[in-house]
Amino acid sequence: MTAKRALDLFGGLALLAVLSPLLAAVALSLALATAGAGGVLRRRTVAGRGGRAFTMCTFRTKSPLAGLPLLLHVVRGEMSLVGPCPLTPGHRECVGESRRRLSVRPGMTGLWQISGRSELPWEERELLDLHYVDHHWLGMDLAILARTLPAVRRRRAVRPSARLA
């Protein structure tokens, strides 16, 4: 087992254990709110490592909590805590020159997320993903993980004031 996979497995299991009450509360509130209209989870087919497709599940909410079920994919080995953003198998970045992004597992977070995510042009996000693929190492993963929560908090803090303008 590589150090990266060990970090993913033990980190994913620890986060699932700590966040399980929150996962249950979100699932219950969504189940009550939707009352069977589409279910609690949103499913999307994405390309994993080596191009193997898998069904990625997220909560049907537009908050940062939507990604919590991704921890199950991390523990199962379909995703990593850190990696390129997950894309559909037919996406242009999953074929040709950019196919090298499929040499690593897609991640819950990555350079694209801590660098501005939705504010970045698509081409820049693509470059960040490919930079990660070409240069990743455990220290980079730890640095990205350390910067993820502050990046999410910054985006949440900016959004309400941006709406007022």
Side-chain angles (χ1 to χ4, degrees):
M1 179 182 300
T2 67
K4 179 172 177 62
R5 181 64 188 130
L7 173 67
D8 286 343
L9 184 58
F10 296 118
L13 286 171
L15 286 169
L16 276 172
V18 169
L19 298 173
S20 60
L22 181 59
L23 279 157
V26 172
L28 179 61
S29 86
L30 286 170
L32 294 173
T34 60
V40 171
L41 296 174
R42 180 177 291 120
R43 290 169 172 74
R44 187 176 114 199
T45 300
V46 297
R49 186 174 181 191
R52 286 181 295 278
F54 69 95
T55 303
M56 183 177 79
C57 298
T58 57
F59 282 133
R60 289 186 178 272
T61 178
K62 294 188 185 223
S63 72
L65 301 176
L68 289 177
L70 297 178
L71 288 168
L72 295 169
H73 297 292
V74 170
V75 171
R76 289 173 45 172
E78 297 165 324
M79 291 184 72
S80 179
L81 291 172
V82 180
C85 68
L87 298 174
T88 58
H91 193 278
R92 66 179 175 85
E93 287 186 56
C94 294
V95 296
E97 164 63 20
S98 295
R99 184 170 172 77
R100 72 182 192 268
R101 75 186 327 278
L102 299 176
S103 65
V104 298
R105 291 177 182 91
M108 288 183 65
T109 187
L111 284 174
W112 49 274
Q113 185 167 13
I114 64 171
S115 300
R117 193 176 182 172
S118 60
E119 295 83 23
L120 292 177
W122 183 261
E123 295 77 19
E124 193 170 336
R125 188 169 91 179
E126 181 179 355
L127 288 173
L128 287 169
D129 277 347
L130 292 177
H131 176 81
Y132 176 83
V133 169
D134 294 340
H135 303 286
H136 73 280
W137 61 289
L138 191 59
M140 178 186 268
D141 282 8
L142 293 173
I144 290 170
L145 286 170
R147 292 179 53 195
T148 296
L149 190 55
V152 170
R153 285 185 183 157
R154 270 194 313 277
R155 271 198 310 280
R156 286 177 55 196
V158 169
R159 284 187 183 155
S161 61
R163 290 182 194 150
L164 296 175

